[in-house]
């Protein structure tokens, strides 16, 4: 029962879409209505408001970190093990992808995945973040950086800890992240993918109306 309750709580935490919430606070258009239509930090950045994009990134990463960190922190008191921690990690990530509070229209999970990885192990999260930063800096494609980081994250975990339940959670999470980037993969191959920092006319128009 404890495992089920923790998974539900993690899913609900993950269902808080900071892209939508922060955009409302800043008076911006709903990020699901412009650019890529993805409620995430990269798309919010297309509104031209860097502050909103940063808060979205922080919020989405924090919720992933919080759900997993609390579970790890109180694992012994609650009498739970690695399997429950792995389930919570997946639940908060799935909550971001399909949030119950926002008609199940969620983001692609990059920031939330980072938060989860940092909570599982700081070095694992930092290694994955470093991969994202290097690729993003070199090519200026957020999607490409996310895809390569997702490919390397399970590899990093395996090197650090070997095969255990959390590794399978990381594999599933990264697999879902790659799947959510299917359109981006097509755009990258066709040379149509937007680069980091490019603005969306739809976002600008929406902000002016408000």
């Amino acid at each position: 029962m404890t495992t089920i309750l923790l998974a539900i709580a993690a899913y609900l935490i993950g269902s808080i879409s900071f892209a939508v919430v922060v955009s409302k606070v800043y008076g911006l258009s709903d990020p699901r209505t412009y650019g890529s239509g993805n409620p995430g930090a990269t798309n919010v950045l297309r509104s031209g408001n860097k502050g909103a994009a940063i808060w979205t990134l922080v919020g989405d990463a924090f919720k992933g970190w919080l759900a997993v960190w609390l579970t790890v922190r109180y694992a012994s008191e609650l009498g739970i093990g690695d399997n429950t921690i792995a389930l919570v990690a997946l639940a908060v990530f799935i909550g971001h992808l399909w949030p119950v509070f926002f008609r199940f229209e969620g983001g692609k999970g990059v920031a939330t995945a980072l938060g989860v990885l940092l909570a599982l192990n700081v070095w694992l999260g930092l290694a994955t973040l470093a991969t994202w930063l290097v690729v993003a800096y070199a090519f200026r494609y957020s999607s490409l950086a996310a895809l390569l980081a997702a490919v390397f994250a399970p590899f990093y975990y395996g090197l650090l800890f070997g095969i255990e339940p959390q590794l399978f959670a990381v594999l599933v999470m990264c697999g879902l992240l790659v799947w959510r980037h299917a359109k981006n993969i097509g755009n990258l191959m066709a040379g149509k993918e937007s680069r980091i920092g490019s603005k969306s006319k739809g976002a600008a128009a929406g902000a002016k109306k408000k």
Side-chain angles (χ1 to χ4, degrees), residues 141 183-195:
Y141 287 117
K183 182 177 179 181
N184 301 90
I185 294 173
N187 287 339
L188 284 167
M189 295 179 67
K192 298 178 181 179
E193 183 72 348
S194 298
R195 293 181 182 271

Side-chain angles (χ1 to χ4, degrees), residues 41-163:
T42 301
N43 203 39
V44 172
L45 184 60
R46 293 190 177 103
S47 70
N49 194 313
K50 294 182 179 179
I54 290 173
W55 280 113
T56 298
L57 177 65
V58 171
D60 282 344
F62 177 73
K63 69 185 182 184
W65 175 86
L66 180 65
V68 177
W69 181 84
L70 286 174
T71 306
V72 173
R73 170 64 179 79
Y74 294 101
S76 59
E77 288 90 334
L78 295 171
I80 58 176
D82 290 343
N83 289 329
T84 299
I85 294 171
L87 183 59
V88 166
L90 277 178
V92 68
F93 182 74
I94 289 173
H96 178 80
L97 299 189
W98 294 285
V100 67
F101 303 130
F102 297 92
R103 303 190 303 274
F104 302 100
E105 298 175 3
K108 294 172 182 174
V110 178
T112 302
L114 174 61
V116 169
L117 295 177
L118 285 169
L120 289 174
N121 182 272
V122 173
W123 294 112
L124 170 65
L126 290 178
T128 305
L129 175 60
T131 302
W132 190 96
L133 289 173
V134 169
V135 177
Y137 179 79
F139 300 100
R140 294 189 59 230
Y141 287 117
S142 175
S143 56
L144 179 61
L147 288 166
L148 289 179
V151 169
F152 277 96
F155 174 71
Y156 295 147
Y157 192 100
L159 283 179
L160 288 169
F161 309 109
I163 299 175

Side-chain angles (χ1 to χ4, degrees), residues 13-53:
I13 291 173
S15 289
I16 302 172
S17 179
F18 280 92
V20 178
V21 173
V22 170
S23 292
K24 287 183 178 179
V25 172
Y26 275 81
L28 303 172
S29 297
D30 188 319
R32 295 170 294 181
T33 64
Y34 63 82
S36 65
N38 175 59
T42 301
N43 203 39
V44 172
L45 184 60
R46 293 190 177 103
S47 70
N49 194 313
K50 294 182 179 179

